Amino acid sequence: MTAADHSFDQTDASQVQAKAQAEALSDRLIMACEAVVRCRSTSFRNSFGLTEIHYRLLAQVRSYGPITLGDLARNLSRDCGQISRMVKMLTTRGLIARPAKPAPRPLAIRLTPMGQTICDAMAKIAQDSEQAIGALLPEEDKVQAALAVERLYCAARTVLEEEHFEPA
């Protein structure tokens, strides 16, 4: 399958509108995000034996470290147990350093030099993947998509923070 098989032009707008009415926007966004993630996740796995969520965790520690497990869980929208297990694995692999015991609570973790190197290499893979995808899109579409994603993200965070979401 080629890029042309997945291309979009204005003649497809009515098909997109029909899909939008048939499928929830959130479902289409999730499918799009999963496709973008698949573009880089194979490289992450083959090169480093790590997954997308491991990369996101390492990137959070790189950006905000030293950082607590609770802050990581909140930033990554995961539960603390899941974050703790990932941090334990990444610590065993020498990518993350925890304070020596006895350590003050809450624990604040940081990247090791090897963790920094691997995180940087994974960031390059992510950037190259994004550039390859972006090369297939007109500039106007990229700008509109960035604005729409930011607005959707902010709206969803507002709903979550204000606890307006009540299941039917």
Side-chain angles (χ1 to χ4, degrees):
M1 201 168 278
T2 67
D5 296 323
H6 297 287
S7 67
F8 174 82
D9 61 37
Q10 293 305 320
T11 61
D12 296 327
S14 62
Q15 292 173 348
V16 171
Q17 289 174 335
K19 268 189 175 180
Q21 292 173 349
E23 297 177 6
L25 175 61
S26 58
D27 291 337
R28 295 290 298 156
L29 282 170
I30 290 167
M31 290 187 323
C33 289
E34 287 172 346
V36 169
V37 167
R38 280 193 307 271
C39 289
R40 63 193 196 187
S41 63
T42 301
S43 293
F44 289 168
R45 194 172 29 264
N46 292 343
S47 299
F48 309 107
L50 299 171
T51 65
E52 175 71 21
I53 190 63
H54 293 132
Y55 166 62
R56 291 179 50 217
L57 188 147
L58 291 171
Q60 284 286 310
V61 176
R62 179 183 59 190
S63 295
Y64 303 109
I67 187 171
T68 67
L69 297 182
D71 287 340
L72 276 173
R74 194 171 19 269
N75 292 356
L76 295 170
S77 300
R78 299 287 195 266
D79 67 67
C80 285
Q82 189 178 21
I83 295 297
S84 180
R85 288 186 295 277
M86 283 191 284
V87 165
K88 183 177 181 180
M89 184 274 288
L90 293 169
T91 301
T92 301
R93 294 207 29 202
L95 305 180
I96 287 180
R98 290 179 151 194
K101 292 183 181 178
R105 296 286 180 184
L107 294 177
I109 61 170
R110 61 178 175 74
L111 290 181
T112 64
M114 183 169 52
Q116 180 70 45
T117 298
I118 288 179
C119 187
D120 290 346
M122 292 177 87
K124 176 74 169 107
I125 290 169
Q127 180 182 28
D128 290 348
S129 175
E130 185 169 326
Q131 286 177 346
I133 294 166
L136 301 173
L137 299 172
E139 193 60 35
E140 180 183 337
D141 286 1
K142 289 186 272 189
V143 170
Q144 288 178 349
L147 290 170
V149 167
E150 187 61 28
R151 288 179 182 145
L152 284 165
Y153 178 76
C154 290
R157 294 299 297 200
T158 299
V159 169
L160 285 171
E161 289 170 7
E162 294 178 358
E163 300 181 349
H164 286 126
F165 179 74
E166 296 180 22

